[in-house]
Amino acid sequence: MTDVAVPPRERGFATPSIERGFATTQVHTGFTPGTTWSTAVPPIHQTAAYEFSSLQEAADLFALRKAGIIYSRNASPTQQVLEERVAALEGGVSAVAVASGQAAVAVTLLALAGRGGHIVAADQLYGGTVDLLQDTLDDFGIPVTFVDQDDADAWRAAITPQTRVLFAETVANPIAQVLDIRLVADIAHEAGVPLVVDSTVGTPALIRPGEHGADFVVHSATKFLSGHGTSLGGVVVDQGTFDFGAEPGRWPQFTGPYRRFGDLVLWDRFGQGQAFAALVKSKYVHDLGPSLSPFNAWQILQGIETLDLRVARQSASALTIARHLAQHPSVARVHHPGLAGNPWHDLAQRYLPNGVPSVFSFDLVGSESDVTARVARVIEELRIFRLVANLGDARSLVAHPASMTHSHLTATQRAAAGISLNTVRLSIGIEDPADLVADLDHALTRS
Ligand code: PLP
């Protein structure tokens, strides 16, 4: 057994303060200078293991009688700064950082639905998440029902007595459908289950889903939180809102005996807002090993320091580019909820008053039968946008979801997610927007 979620005060780090502004939090929270070497910036604790002062201390740590770090599979001080910072930015109570966004989704869903549970998930998801849900989790005996995220009746109808979680993206990749978080959270809570949202595209700089009823917020930290495209990572934040103790029979993983710790009850030991992180770390990260390296944790921390600056520019540039593309004769449709007439425009105004994310798509004109070659020509002609399976980078990126991120979906699933063969996804970087517009114009005209 290695370290579990340790309350911040016991670790000697600054406690998150939501009275601080967002920008102050993204630079400072989780780290207090004055460590052994008085580093001004959180150091990279690049060590596999931590030395114990005595065998008694080791035994206490292994038995969860004492909080501390044992081994980097589950925690490092660098990772803890990251966890505390992202929890604070989301207005949450605790967080667990892991090796990738994919791992964050996986350990979250395993912790909630891993014991014979059922998941209801939106049709509108990143393709890798669909793979995880309909393939690997299905192999594990965790069935998933997909529903249109805008259809409240479909969410309700899909819930069974075995359902343990509702899952959706706050702003979906790649079509940028905006989730009515409050609506789906209310449906989840009526059914006595939590709502988990993936807010990778949204980012806490634009939306804090916990303020609208989401109970757990997942991020691929590889994307906007990092912003530099150098490092994989994932984070799940517990908002501290879901009471697993209200119906203890449903949640034995929190309220029942935990065999490996002498029948300890996590809910009694850690309580609301901390028990989930304790389970994820002590069981799923410990057993399956999707650990975040201290170096990647540090890289992500460097990115977070400029999150709101980057996101504000990217969001403004994306709107400029979306407006331009909407007038372009080679473009049939622009899927950007900042545009009037977009089906999710009203939800964007309600949930994203500070700007719409910079990941959006457009459809080229033409029938699906001959369009793929033309998409390839457009992509070939681009000089600034890079063809990369990533988003949220400082660089502007282009992708063809049907050939790339969503290529494992059936045609019916792609249609349900709003993706056609004509769909081209953009992730707008921090370059000059005029250069990006000129690049797209050039490519669309030449192809
Ligand atoms: N969630 C969303 C919305 C994504 O776009 C991605 C990756 O593209 C992931 C999760 C998975 O994250 P990672 O690539 O860090 O595993």
Side-chain angles (χ1 to χ4, degrees):
M1 165 56 209
T2 49
D3 180 57
V4 295
V6 179
R9 237 169 268 110
E10 290 179 37
R11 299 207 308 263
F13 290 112
T15 46
S17 160
I18 37 183
E19 283 131 42
R20 290 175 167 189
F22 191 93
T24 310
T25 301
Q26 73 188 4
V27 177
H28 292 285
T29 296
F31 181 66
T32 310
T35 54
T36 312
W37 299 101
S38 291
T39 58
V41 171
I44 308 170
H45 290 264
Q46 193 69 29
T47 173
Y50 292 79
E51 194 172 339
F52 310 110
S53 60
S54 65
L55 184 57
Q56 184 60 51
E57 187 194 31
D60 287 344
L61 286 163
F62 270 80
L64 294 187
R65 284 189 296 270
K66 187 174 177 199
I69 300 179
I70 295 174
Y71 192 61
S72 288
R73 184 169 351 116
N74 291 54
S76 71
T78 318
Q79 176 182 327
Q80 288 183 332
V81 177
L82 173 66
E83 289 168 345
E84 210 165 296
R85 198 164 293 179
V86 178
L89 291 174
E90 285 291 358
V93 172
S94 63
V96 180
V98 287
S100 64
Q102 197 72 3
V105 175
V107 295
T108 301
L109 296 180
L110 283 170
L112 295 171
R115 288 189 172 194
H118 162 251
I119 297 168
V120 185
D123 284 328
Q124 299 84 351
L125 295 177
Y126 159 60
T129 308
V130 177
D131 287 339
L132 168 70
L133 291 169
Q134 70 178 12
D135 195 345
T136 301
L137 290 189
D138 193 62
D139 287 350
F140 283 19
I142 304 169
V144 180
T145 305
F146 290 98
V147 298
D148 177 359
Q149 69 179 34
D150 296 326
D151 187 341
D153 292 338
W155 283 106
R156 283 196 194 92
I159 292 170
T160 73
Q162 279 68 48
T163 302
R164 291 293 175 272
V165 57
L166 269 48
F167 181 80
E169 293 176 14
T170 53
V171 182
N173 170 8
I175 300 297
Q177 297 98 335
V178 180
L179 182 71
D180 190 338
I181 305 171
R182 176 55 63 191
L183 176 80
V184 183
D186 286 348
I187 293 170
H189 298 157
E190 277 161 29
V193 300
L195 172 64
V196 177
V197 293
D198 179 336
S199 203
T200 298
V201 170
T203 85
L206 295 178
I207 182 166
R208 304 220 294 186
E211 292 172 357
H212 308 289
D215 301 291
F216 297 90
V217 181
V218 179
H219 286 279
S220 165
T222 316
K223 311 294 192 292
F224 287 97
L225 295 182
S226 292
H228 36 53
T230 66
S231 309
L232 261 77
V235 186
V236 51
V237 175
D238 183 348
Q239 298 294 328
T241 46
F242 195 80
D243 181 2
F244 294 101
E247 279 188 272
R250 271 193 165 195
W251 309 102
Q253 65 270 54
F254 299 110
T255 57
Y258 197 170
R259 225 178 19 219
R260 68 177 76 175
F261 294 112
D263 290 350
L264 169 101
V265 175
L266 288 175
W267 198 247
D268 297 343
R269 168 77 169 82
F270 293 99
Q272 195 159 336
Q274 301 287 348
F276 170 83
L279 178 70
V280 169
K281 288 195 175 213
S282 67
K283 182 166 178 159
Y284 294 101
V285 181
H286 173 78
D287 293 5
L288 302 175
S291 316
L292 182 64
S293 80
F295 181 71
N296 279 16
W298 183 84
Q299 285 278 69
I300 297 163
L301 278 169
Q302 304 317 297
I304 286 179
E305 293 189 1
T306 57
L307 178 66
D308 67 339
L309 304 173
R310 286 183 281 109
V311 165
R313 178 185 291 192
Q314 289 167 299
S315 174
S317 298
L319 185 57
T320 303
I321 293 164
R323 285 188 177 132
H324 181 80
L325 289 175
Q327 309 299 323
H328 201 287
S330 301
V331 173
R333 192 173 305 106
V334 180
H335 304 280
H336 187 294
L339 299 180
N342 178 281
W344 296 276
H345 184 63
D346 289 348
L347 285 173
Q349 292 202 308
R350 189 159 130 218
Y351 286 107
L352 297 156
N354 298 326
V356 169
S358 49
V359 177
F360 69 99
S361 297
F362 66 90
D363 294 347
L364 281 181
V365 291
S367 74
E368 288 207 45
S369 56
D370 66 355
V371 81
T372 308
R374 217 145 47 72
V375 170
R377 283 200 299 278
V378 170
I379 289 172
E380 264 164 39
E381 290 294 340
L382 287 166
R383 297 289 173 265
I384 299 175
F385 283 85
R386 315 273 178 93
L387 179 61
V388 167
N390 198 10
L391 56 85
D393 198 314
R395 283 151 283 270
S396 288
L397 309 176
V398 62
H400 184 228
S403 315
M404 297 168 62
T405 49
H406 293 72
S407 57
H408 301 166
L409 274 61
T410 62
T412 310
Q413 284 178 307
R414 273 204 304 272
I419 302 164
S420 71
L421 296 181
N422 306 42
T423 304
V424 177
R425 186 188 78 188
L426 300 178
S427 173
I428 305 302
I430 59 173
E431 305 96 335
D432 293 287
D435 292 340
L436 299 175
V437 167
D439 196 31
L440 287 163
D441 274 349
H442 161 86
L444 289 167
T445 309
R446 298 266 309 207
S447 55

